[in-house]
Amino acid sequence: MTPARPCTSTLHEPGAVAGSAGLISRRAPAEGVIARLRGEGATPEAIDRLLAENHVPIVDGPSCTFVWRGQADAVAIEHRVVGLAAPLALRRLRGSDLWYATVTLPRGARVEYRVLIRRGTDVESVLDPLNPREASGPLTTSSVLEADGYATPQWAIADPAVVPGALTDVTVPSRHLKRDVRVNVYAPARAGKRDRLPLVIVHDGTDYLKYAGMGTVLDNLMGRRLMADSVVAFVDPADRFVEYGANFRHSRFLTKELVPKLERTLPVRGDPAGRVLMGASLGAIAALTAATQAPGFYGGLLLQSATFVYSMSGLRAGLDPKLDTVVKFVEGIREHPTLVAGRIFQSIGAFEPSAARNRAMATTLRAMATQLRVEEGLDGHTWVGWRDRLLDGLTWLLPGEARRIHP
């Protein structure tokens, strides 16, 4: 299997909601598998045969058909794909208990969703009972639609031929955060006593390990020499909105406490080019904040779907008050961007609500790094979407021997 490649084309279709990364639209209801079923006669036996012969959702080239079977007053698909009606209403095939909606998606797309079922005044959100593919996150588990051309990257699948790295718990007392911080430290299998390795610090570390399979990703990338052997420190917040919300105390913890502690006790390099900060969503804001508070201290940043919120024409209507410190921070760097790191890798989920703001921030980030690389994946604000960009991000920031020979 090959990894799903990023797509940066622009979505705009007459009569559809504008979004990104290709065409996303409702198809005429009589097209595709439903048209064939209607032509054959939507008998229970024909529906049984359709569901037995096809994976659900039914993918036929760019045509993707959600189906649900049962008695209900209304059925819809709950999702967070910009450019697609939300929720996406399903219609019942006349004379049957089959509900459906067909959309077009670009090749390589991936969508997480749940099914909304209304009976009377009761609405239930459930996993798709016809689809065994699922993805979990800290808040929920979703069903997964894999459009034509999407496949789980090989480097995200455990390889018995690769020797795994070791994870060790370290506790770092923090005066700035006023708590003891538990850090999960990954050491690659090949690490020797005399090696001096790059250091990567990962925000929301437990979630990256659990939901993005980052331990397996690191094993494969380093084992295949695509990424330089590195020590990776996984950290977690006590309160995400507080510590990751452009919080200078968290920045000081990273730069003045965590990094010095790891550089004293572990075989890491101790120079800016060997230090990388990364995170997703608010974790990306925390990484960028720390870099702005210590320009030149970190050589690389990997920012995934950053929570780039800022007011429009001076108005903050619709912005969560808990993000006020983030708004102030983002507006500040937009107005006065300064060079903070050698390389910044920005990844964006083309289907996520924050995609447009992330694209708009590329100009600011370009002024904050010697080199900026921006990539979009055909996914949303999801852990798997972030996982699928790790190959390009980590191997660009910290290339291994194989990546340097065959970039």
Side-chain angles (χ1 to χ4, degrees):
M1 291 182 290
T2 57
R5 302 303 300 167
C7 174
T8 56
S9 58
T10 302
L11 183 157
H12 47 81
E13 180 198 10
V17 180
S20 60
L23 283 178
I24 304 175
S25 65
R26 286 292 300 270
R27 291 174 63 89
E31 291 188 18
V33 293
I34 299 301
R36 292 195 294 271
L37 181 62
R38 183 181 287 117
E40 296 170 359
T43 64
E45 294 76 18
I47 294 173
D48 288 341
R49 187 164 55 253
L50 173 76
L51 298 180
E53 294 175 351
N54 293 277
H55 293 294
V56 173
I58 301 170
V59 176
D60 183 10
S63 174
C64 302
T65 301
F66 296 96
V67 297
W68 183 84
R69 193 177 191 183
Q71 298 299 323
D73 294 313
V75 183
I77 299 299
E78 181 182 27
H79 64 87
R80 296 190 67 199
V81 177
V82 172
L84 196 60
L88 175 66
L90 274 61
R91 65 175 64 192
R92 187 170 61 84
L93 186 62
R94 186 185 299 274
S96 77
D97 61 354
L98 187 72
W99 300 72
Y100 71 95
T102 301
V103 300
T104 59
L105 290 173
R107 181 174 174 79
R110 181 183 173 280
V111 175
E112 295 186 7
Y113 69 97
R114 290 176 67 90
V115 182
L116 297 174
I117 305 166
R118 181 174 67 80
R119 297 183 178 95
T121 58
D122 294 329
V123 178
E124 186 180 11
S125 173
V126 302
L127 291 169
D128 187 340
L130 300 173
N131 181 5
R133 296 183 298 278
E134 298 177 1
S136 295
L139 302 178
T140 189
T141 298
S142 300
S143 296
V144 177
L145 161 62
E146 295 177 352
D148 186 38
Y150 178 85
T152 300
Q154 286 184 329
W155 47 264
I157 300 171
D159 183 350
V162 171
V163 180
L167 284 167
T168 305
D169 281 345
V170 174
T171 298
V172 179
S174 173
R175 178 174 60 86
H176 293 292
L177 294 180
K178 296 181 172 55
R179 66 181 178 93
D180 288 345
V181 180
R182 174 182 167 273
V183 183
N184 213 346
V185 178
Y186 172 98
R190 282 193 301 265
K193 292 183 179 179
R194 296 185 178 181
D195 290 340
R196 310 308 290 180
L197 306 178
L199 172 65
V200 181
I201 298 175
V202 183
H203 290 85
D204 291 312
T206 297
D207 289 342
Y208 263 105
L209 287 168
K210 185 175 182 179
Y211 304 117
M214 194 165 173
T216 297
V217 171
L218 293 174
D219 290 342
N220 288 334
L221 297 187
M222 294 186 202
R224 298 170 188 179
R225 301 185 183 276
L226 296 170
M227 173 185 175
D229 287 350
S230 304
V231 171
V232 183
F234 296 90
V235 299
D236 294 299
D239 183 318
R240 276 186 100 246
F241 277 101
V242 173
E243 291 186 10
Y244 287 3
N247 187 310
F248 295 162
R249 286 182 288 114
H250 174 74
S251 298
R252 288 191 288 270
F253 158 69
L254 293 176
T255 304
K256 298 182 179 298
E257 294 176 329
L258 178 60
V259 171
K261 162 87 171 180
L262 297 180
E263 290 183 349
R264 285 195 308 269
T265 58
L266 298 175
V268 294
R269 283 168 41 179
D271 63 295
R275 301 184 188 118
V276 171
L277 283 181
M278 65 173 285
S281 195
L282 271 179
I285 294 296
L288 185 58
T289 303
T292 62
Q293 292 301 298
F297 186 80
Y298 300 98
L301 302 177
L302 199 165
L303 311 178
Q304 300 199 278
S305 302
T307 307
F308 286 132
V309 286
Y310 47 89
S311 58
M312 306 295 288
S313 302
L315 301 176
R316 296 190 179 183
L319 298 180
D320 191 328
K322 289 188 291 186
L323 295 175
D324 280 350
T325 56
V326 179
V327 172
K328 182 178 180 181
F329 168 72
V330 174
E331 290 178 345
I333 62 173
R334 280 168 59 84
E335 187 172 353
H336 300 292
T338 57
L339 183 66
V340 299
R343 287 186 166 193
I344 296 179
F345 183 95
Q346 181 191 21
S347 80
I348 304 169
F351 300 157
E352 63 183 314
S354 62
R357 288 178 184 267
N358 266 266
R359 293 188 198 103
M361 285 296 296
T363 300
T364 298
L365 295 178
R366 191 167 287 111
M368 300 179 75
T370 306
Q371 293 179 276
L372 172 69
R373 181 169 173 179
V374 182
E375 290 198 4
E376 292 196 17
L378 296 175
D379 207 319
H381 201 78
T382 72
W383 285 101
V384 172
W386 297 329
R387 178 203 69 188
D388 287 355
R389 307 275 75 75
L390 289 178
L391 168 71
D392 293 335
L394 290 172
T395 62
W396 182 67
L397 293 169
L398 296 168
E401 294 174 13
R403 202 63 164 178
R404 288 194 292 267
I405 296 171
H406 303 289

